[in-house]
Amino acid sequence: MKTVYSFLLLVLLPAVVTAQKGIHRELTPIRGHYKQLLQFSPKARSLQEPMDKEKFITDQETVKQRMNLTPQYLTGVKVDDFKLPDAPVNSSEQTRAEINYLLALQKYRTKEDIRASLYMADVYYSHRVQPGDSSYARYRRNLFHIGRSIGSWFNPESLPVTADFMAKVWRDASYFIWSLKFKYARIRPYVIDHDLKNLQDTDWAAYPSGHAANSYINAYIYQELAPEFTDVFVKDAYDMAHSREILGVHYPSDSEASRIFARQFVNMLFQNKAFLQDFEKVKQEWAAKAKEDFRK
């Protein structure tokens, strides 16, 4: 009996330790045009390039407003705890190559590409919205944009606990995304090359992409709830990131930095006790409601 008990400890202990420590996943390898662009140097062509001094200037009132909504889970985390590559310098070969790629997208983007990308530009969440506001339902639905095809039950009405939970996650994410934007202050690609016609007006820094970051965050969290749909979640996030490039408002390296940030951010969440407690409640909701009701 003692031998059997010892064997069970050896088998089960790793699972127990994993549960205590939470989930930590590695970032999947970079691919496609994101990988190909890494062959170009991200460094300045010379020390005398005037464009390298250009930064996006955010007024202090905006900074104060964005930083006012502090994290609810990652309260002890600082922005420098996230390890992102530096944004390619404005005069660098990589920036030029990225803009050339965006110009190619501009040349070949179709009316449907534009329509879908502009639709996705409105997929975000406002932390200041309140129940009863005319936009409240729309913002809540936006929390379920990533993975929207996995079931008719995948919505804030069927999964209210999940909606509240993801809203809290977005609050944490927004704090750090804005912190990174203020830190890097990267100008938009159309500021460098006026041949690039952006299809959306933006009044904040480029690096990293907030749309892409929040989408990958949702994908990585929903992945843990429905791993059989991982490909769907990640594809939806990839499409969101690419839509920002189609519109000409983000460099590909903005998208890739967002993917890197999202993986680190979600890994940190899964080491957080308060997050894990709320995540268990979400899992219980999914166990009860994440299925079709064919009796209606």
Side-chain angles (χ1 to χ4, degrees):
M1 184 68 181
K2 185 175 180 180
T3 302
V4 173
Y5 178 73
S6 298
F7 173 76
L8 287 174
L9 275 180
L10 288 173
V11 172
L12 295 177
L13 185 57
V16 173
V17 171
T18 300
Q20 290 175 340
K21 290 185 177 181
I23 296 167
H24 181 94
R25 296 192 184 278
E26 296 299 323
L27 185 70
T28 55
I30 188 172
R31 56 183 174 171
H33 65 285
Y34 300 110
K35 181 178 181 180
Q36 294 169 38
L37 285 164
L38 293 182
Q39 67 181 293
F40 300 98
S41 171
K43 297 181 179 180
R45 291 177 181 269
S46 74
L47 298 178
Q48 281 73 44
E49 293 287 348
M51 72 167 64
D52 290 337
K53 296 180 181 179
E54 293 188 47
K55 297 288 185 180
F56 186 91
I57 306 301
T58 306
D59 64 87
Q60 289 305 305
E61 184 59 33
T62 299
V63 174
K64 181 179 178 181
Q65 182 183 30
R66 297 296 183 183
M67 294 294 94
N68 187 43
L69 291 174
T70 54
Q72 294 182 296
Y73 291 124
L74 302 182
T75 56
V77 174
K78 297 180 174 59
V79 66
D80 289 336
D81 292 332
F82 297 98
K83 306 305 178 185
L84 272 61
D86 288 334
V89 176
N90 294 338
S91 69
S92 69
E93 292 178 355
Q94 184 174 341
T95 294
R96 184 64 257 173
E98 292 193 55
I99 292 176
N100 289 343
Y101 172 74
L102 297 180
L103 288 169
L105 284 183
Q106 176 176 284
K107 180 179 179 180
Y108 294 110
R109 61 192 177 194
T110 65
K111 289 183 179 179
E112 176 57 23
D113 291 333
I114 294 170
R115 185 207 63 79
S117 296
L118 288 173
Y119 174 84
M120 285 189 276
D122 282 334
V123 176
Y124 59 92
Y125 187 78
S126 172
H127 306 283
R128 304 183 192 281
V129 70
Q130 298 293 326
D133 292 348
S134 60
S135 58
Y136 182 74
R138 176 173 66 85
Y139 283 126
R140 296 272 284 189
R141 286 195 298 272
N142 284 349
L143 296 170
F144 294 83
H145 176 80
I146 301 302
R148 60 199 178 279
S149 66
I150 69 171
S152 66
W153 50 266
F154 190 67
N155 60 70
E157 290 75 34
S158 299
L159 302 173
V161 175
T162 303
D164 291 342
F165 171 72
M166 294 307 297
K168 290 175 68 174
V169 168
W170 274 54
R171 173 167 171 158
D172 276 40
S174 293
Y175 179 85
F176 292 112
I177 291 167
W178 283 109
S179 297
L180 289 165
K181 284 182 178 290
F182 298 148
K183 175 182 177 179
Y184 290 103
R186 190 183 196 185
I187 58 176
R188 298 282 174 165
Y190 51 80
V191 176
I192 295 177
D193 192 325
H194 298 308
D195 287 334
L196 186 61
K197 307 303 180 185
N198 55 299
L199 299 180
Q200 181 189 17
D201 293 328
T202 55
D203 57 358
W204 49 89
Y207 189 90
S209 164
H211 281 76
N214 282 313
S215 296
Y216 277 114
I217 287 166
N218 278 33
Y220 295 152
I221 291 176
Y222 289 145
Q223 169 190 3
E224 305 305 332
L225 293 162
E228 68 272 27
F229 287 115
T230 294
D231 59 331
V232 176
F233 299 136
V234 174
K235 176 60 165 58
D236 285 349
Y238 183 96
D239 287 345
M240 175 65 80
H242 194 231
S243 75
R244 310 303 289 157
E245 299 161 26
I246 290 172
L247 294 178
V249 295
H250 275 293
Y251 308 86
S253 52
D254 297 340
S255 301
E256 180 59 16
S258 297
R259 191 176 74 98
I260 294 170
F261 164 78
R263 184 68 271 171
Q264 294 177 17
F265 176 81
V266 172
N267 283 347
M268 289 182 185
L269 285 176
F270 275 99
Q271 308 302 317
N272 180 272
K273 183 177 179 180
F275 172 87
L276 290 173
Q277 289 174 343
D278 287 347
F279 186 71
E280 285 302 313
K281 297 175 185 176
V282 172
K283 286 174 64 177
Q284 292 170 16
E285 181 178 62
W286 281 52
K289 299 181 178 180
K291 54 189 174 184
E292 302 293 344
D293 185 357
F294 299 111
R295 298 170 298 176
K296 295 179 181 179

